[in-house]
Amino acid sequence: MRLRLTPRDTTFFDLFAASAQHLVTGANLLSEMLGATPAARKEINKRISEAEHLADEATHQIMRRLNQTFVTPFDRDDIYMLASALDDCMDFMDEAADLMVLYKVGELPARVADQVQVLQRCAELTAEAMPRLRSMDSLSEYWVEVNRLENQADKTFRKLLAQMFDEISDPILLLKFKEIVEALEEAADAFEKVANAVETIAVKES
Amino acid sequence: MRLRLTPRDTTFFDLFAASAQHLVTGANLLSEMLGATPAARKEINKRISEAEHLADEATHQIMRRLNQTFVTPFDRDDIYMLASALDDCMDFMDEAADLMVLYKVGELPARVADQVQVLQRCAELTAEAMPRLRSMDSLSEYWVEVNRLENQADKTFRKLLAQMFDEISDPILLLKFKEIVEALEEAADAFEKVANAVETIAVKES
Amino acid sequence: MRLRLTPRDTTFFDLFAASAQHLVTGANLLSEMLGATPAARKEINKRISEAEHLADEATHQIMRRLNQTFVTPFDRDDIYMLASALDDCMDFMDEAADLMVLYKVGELPARVADQVQVLQRCAELTAEAMPRLRSMDSLSEYWVEVNRLENQADKTFRKLLAQMFDEISDPILLLKFKEIVEALEEAADAFEKVANAVETIAVKES
């Protein structure tokens, strides 16, 4: 345990928690989108973009505070890493949603729902974990589980990719689907980066 | 305003300004390239590669100085971030130019010209802003405008992508165009990263 | 030469050397894979994944040590940069191998063998260089040669890309090959990042 010579700036914890809440909103909207009609998808996509804007603001607040605060609760680099990883989660989910609307795709392969389900679970776990950064309370369960989920998502992604290349003969449709599932895979990777950033912070604190 | 106990190394400012000048050259050549004949494109591409090499050298000089200088004008990380973002701008413009020649593409969709125009404007603004790092004079207009331009570029890019998927039935031609417009979009993103790095530096100085 | 007020933690050198050894294994297996039958490729791919897991563990050990060690032999950021670049080399080679199996591709274009040969050479040079971090002995030959090899790999990659777009009329096969050669190109880039990280460290030490 390192000596603390100064009071810690607590608002970072609240900003991280807020940022993670937007991820839960985004992931849930993404899962709604899958079963929705083209018209409904457009409308849901708008709401995801709103969540993305809010997450963006949260990130900017964190960065601004980080640059103006002399003493931070953790290493600046770790706060930066955590904030940008949280931002990436949202960006990739937003991108996937945009592409679904942009490419006017119909029903997506069944495994896409599995990808999104993992993102929903990762978002919930992340939102629950962020407030615990203050007390460093039982964070290991969180990052272990997110790493497990990301490995699962990776397997699903590769199976899905192989399946699409086997079954879809229209190369343009294949291209569209491929970009969407790749964006979802990148979102899962970003959740793992968040978990790794939290682990880094926790290890330094221990 | 932080205390300055040591004289600042000013040459970083000159190196950043030089690096940004190459971006103006590159962006202008890129716009020339769009309307040019295949033969002319080859020749213009060579000149873009030359600009890229010069930018590369500028980056290397900055990194070398950064590693050998004990006192830097700003945080080392910010100098590093700024230098590599400037480098990325050039790399992505160079990649787009290479792909145009490599894929022997003919006339590109009209919106590509809009993408390149944004890059030219971003390059000019960046070249004008770099020397102002010394005085920190009116930099906010710069980063606000670049962020605005990047949002505009993003909208153009998405419209262009949707249009290409609607109108181009040859999947291989679609693939070629897609990679070129994606490289141009990445260049716009890199210009935004440059602006964000400048904002970070300015906020710390204020 | 900076003053050293504390003994240096030497185990980082051993961890880097171990990590680089897995890259040699991975690159050699990758080259075996090219000429192999589909069945053999599956089996070789398993062994590449094992090498990837070992490399992953090495990276985790480095990060863990980095976060728990108060005095590190070099700047923390440089150790972090070096460790993640080494990790990327393996990930991209592993990805290329996975895609070969996943996409059930047959014989690959001849130039792919040239790409893999460069990766083998880069891996050997890197494995030889890592132990020399301790003494900082003749590292410049290493990073100069890796940079030369990466430029060569880049030229090969672009020629290969152009050739594939010229000669392959099946867009789905083109997509499969494209992803594989792109993963190999990213692996070469990662080896260059490793060399750049070593150069950064050496410059600071000199």
Side-chain angles (χ1 to χ4, degrees), chain A residues 89 119 150 154 184-194 196:
Chain A
C89 297
L119 296 180
E150 198 280 331
D154 200 55
L184 294 172
E185 168 65 7
E186 289 187 288
D189 289 343
F191 274 110
E192 189 186 26
K193 283 204 187 63
V194 171
N196 293 344

Side-chain angles (χ1 to χ4, degrees), chain A residues 107-174:
Chain A
E107 203 190 330
L108 288 139
R111 280 201 176 91
V112 174
D114 303 339
Q115 284 188 295
V116 172
Q117 212 167 35
V118 168
L119 296 180
Q120 287 178 282
R121 190 69 194 116
C122 285
E124 288 160 10
L125 289 165
T126 307
E128 286 161 21
M130 289 302 112
R132 300 210 301 275
L133 278 170
R134 189 180 266 101
S135 58
M136 288 291 148
D137 176 28
S138 62
L139 284 166
S140 64
E141 291 89 335
Y142 150 72
W143 72 65
V144 168
E145 177 62 5
V146 168
N147 274 278
R148 193 189 65 75
L149 285 165
E150 198 280 331
N151 290 333
Q152 181 190 317
D154 200 55
K155 284 189 184 58
T156 306
F157 170 66
R158 287 166 186 278
K159 281 207 198 88
L160 179 48
L161 217 54
Q163 181 196 23
M164 292 194 309
F165 271 90
D166 281 343
E167 297 175 3
I168 300 173
S169 55
D170 170 0
I172 292 189
L173 183 64
L174 179 61

